[in-house]
Amino acid sequence: MSNSKLNFKLIVNRLILFIGFGVLAHIIFVLSTTEKSLLSYLNKLSYYHVMAMALLMLIPWLGYAFRVRMWSLFLGENIRYRDALRIVMTAELASALSPTAVGGAPVKAALLLNKGFNPGNVGFMLTWGIIEDLFFYIFGVIMAIFFSQQLVYQIGLGLTQFFTNNAFTILLIILFFILYYYLLRYNLIPGAFRPLHYLPDRLRQKIYDIKSRFYQGINDMKINFIKAWKHGKLRMLVGILVLFIQWAAKFSVLTVILHAFEIDFNLVQIYVRQWIVYVTMLFIPTPGASGGAEASFLLIFGKSIPSEISFLIVSIWRFFTYYYVLIASVALYTFITFITKKQEEIEIQTED
């Protein structure tokens, strides 16, 4: 437990300033892009609307923790639900400091390994989680093709123009990374040009240890996939269903906002378009897709919501789907840790 606490404290120390600046930037963004007379729209957000959004954003955590515990039990690992929940929240916080495509998977792997999980089991859980996410995103793209053909055409046209206009630059970047990977693999790059060179020795050694243990568990991971395919098909379906429920809850935050502002909307379109927003966020390199998420939202929903309050809506949406999650993670993790510590003290006293 101490390791997970240490990781959490390190993450929080780096996040406090990040969250503070983020919330402050959001307030400045709203005040600078929205006329004061339109700020009265905030009065339409009742207590019930705020509570609904707050509760909806807890469902992804609960579902994610359920999936972690479900697969842990299947693989013979023992983890309590509250510990799984703490791991999920810590990974959520870590993902705020990395691009969306990276997420909190490395932290999740480290915490599970620190709890004594077999590296092969950790590798299976992370790999299957990636497969579930890919299935989700692909399903969303297919839905978008059926229900938002014009939007998909516009995005495709825009991407084609972007790649055409920047083909030479993109080609150079790709060649650079291929060359860099080749040189890195064969130890032809000086230490000063290696990413891990600038990390603290303790953290660098920990990454090497995790990497070594992970590769050692590759064979176990393959065995787990065979085991899951033979005996865990129902769990696979349940896991994917829970994943869709998690995303549905996250997508529903926008429907609550639009309902509060009395804006007519097509429910299917709202969900499909958010699918596209989150897919585009995968390609935004900033931590948590900051800046790019808002731009993608305005681009995709620009004609579906009143232009005069579009910036206000995107700010509320972003606050509840991102900054609120970070703030709540800190509060709930601290609360769960406090309760767990009290229970452990009572158990120790009882044994004595």
Side-chain angles (χ1 to χ4, degrees):
M1 182 180 297
S2 60
N3 288 332
S4 62
K5 285 182 179 179
L6 178 62
N7 286 334
F8 177 77
K9 288 179 181 179
L10 290 173
I11 293 169
V12 170
N13 289 338
R14 288 164 174 75
L15 267 174
I16 290 175
L17 192 61
F18 179 80
I19 295 173
F21 275 118
V23 174
L24 179 62
H26 248 63
I27 294 173
I28 295 174
F29 178 78
V30 172
L31 294 177
S32 62
T33 57
T34 308
E35 296 181 12
K36 292 183 179 180
S37 59
L38 296 176
L39 291 177
S40 61
Y41 271 84
L42 291 174
N43 295 326
K44 293 180 177 292
L45 284 174
S46 68
Y47 168 81
Y48 297 105
H49 289 119
V50 173
M51 285 301 298
M53 289 187 287
L55 292 175
L56 282 170
M57 288 309 301
L58 297 181
I59 293 177
W61 292 342
L62 300 176
Y64 197 176
F66 169 82
R67 289 159 57 207
V68 169
R69 178 165 166 76
M70 178 183 70
W71 283 115
S72 298
L73 294 176
F74 177 77
L75 298 171
E77 303 283 5
N78 185 24
I79 184 172
R80 293 175 295 185
Y81 183 79
R82 65 188 180 194
D83 290 330
L85 192 58
R86 283 196 292 178
I87 287 175
V88 167
M89 287 187 289
T90 306
E92 185 75 43
L93 286 169
S95 66
L97 296 177
S98 61
T100 304
V102 176
V107 172
K108 178 186 172 184
L111 294 177
L112 290 174
L113 290 172
N114 285 341
K115 282 192 168 295
F117 274 49
N118 180 284
N121 294 342
V122 175
F124 167 80
M125 293 172 67
L126 293 182
T127 305
W128 178 245
I130 293 173
I131 293 173
E132 288 179 321
D133 289 338
L134 287 175
F135 179 83
F136 168 81
Y137 286 119
I138 292 172
F139 182 81
V141 171
I142 294 173
M143 292 287 289
I145 293 174
F146 278 100
F147 293 99
S148 297
Q149 296 179 4
Q150 184 62 29
L151 178 62
V152 172
Y153 173 77
Q154 292 175 354
I155 293 175
L157 185 62
L159 289 174
T160 301
Q161 292 176 348
F162 173 79
F163 285 114
T164 301
N165 296 334
N166 301 275
F168 181 71
T169 303
I170 295 171
L171 180 61
L172 285 179
I173 293 174
I174 293 173
L175 291 175
F176 170 79
F177 278 107
I178 292 175
L179 178 62
Y180 183 81
Y181 173 77
Y182 175 83
L183 295 176
L184 189 65
R185 182 177 180 181
Y186 291 97
N187 296 319
L188 299 175
I189 296 181
F193 293 95
R194 296 171 179 265
L196 296 180
H197 177 76
Y198 298 96
L199 295 177
D201 291 339
R202 183 179 176 184
L203 180 58
R204 186 164 63 246
Q205 185 59 47
K206 195 171 189 64
I207 291 174
Y208 284 136
D209 291 342
I210 291 173
K211 184 178 178 180
S212 176
R213 292 165 65 186
F214 178 79
Y215 282 120
Q216 290 175 3
I218 290 294
N219 290 332
D220 291 337
M221 185 176 71
K222 294 178 181 178
I223 293 173
N224 287 333
F225 268 102
I226 295 173
K227 179 182 177 181
W229 183 250
K230 289 182 177 179
H231 308 290
K233 291 187 181 69
L234 179 60
R235 285 179 173 82
M236 288 181 171
L237 292 175
V238 170
I240 291 175
L241 176 61
V242 172
L243 176 66
F244 272 74
I245 292 174
Q246 292 173 222
W247 280 101
K250 197 169 187 177
F251 289 168
S252 296
V253 168
L254 182 57
T255 66
V256 174
I257 297 172
L258 297 180
H259 178 270
F261 289 171
E262 299 177 351
I263 298 174
D264 292 331
F265 59 88
N266 182 299
L267 187 62
V268 174
Q269 288 289 332
I270 291 298
Y271 278 71
V272 169
R273 286 171 182 262
Q274 284 186 88
W275 239 308
I276 299 174
V277 170
Y278 279 96
V279 169
T280 58
M281 286 169 60
L282 292 173
F283 302 97
I284 299 172
T286 57
S290 297
E294 292 85 346
S296 298
F297 183 95
L298 291 172
L299 175 65
I300 293 172
F301 283 96
K303 297 180 180 179
S304 303
I305 55 180
S307 58
E308 64 271 13
I309 59 171
S310 59
F311 290 104
L312 182 62
I313 290 176
V314 72
S315 295
I316 298 172
W317 168 79
R318 183 62 169 162
F319 176 82
F320 276 98
T321 58
Y322 186 61
Y323 291 106
Y324 161 76
V325 172
L326 302 183
I327 296 170
S329 293
V330 175
L332 286 177
Y333 186 99
T334 304
F335 174 75
I336 294 174
T337 302
F338 175 78
I339 295 298
T340 303
K341 186 177 180 181
K342 285 292 184 182
Q343 290 180 349
E344 290 177 350
E345 290 176 354
I346 294 173
E347 290 175 0
I348 293 174
Q349 292 175 358
T350 303
E351 291 176 358
D352 294 339

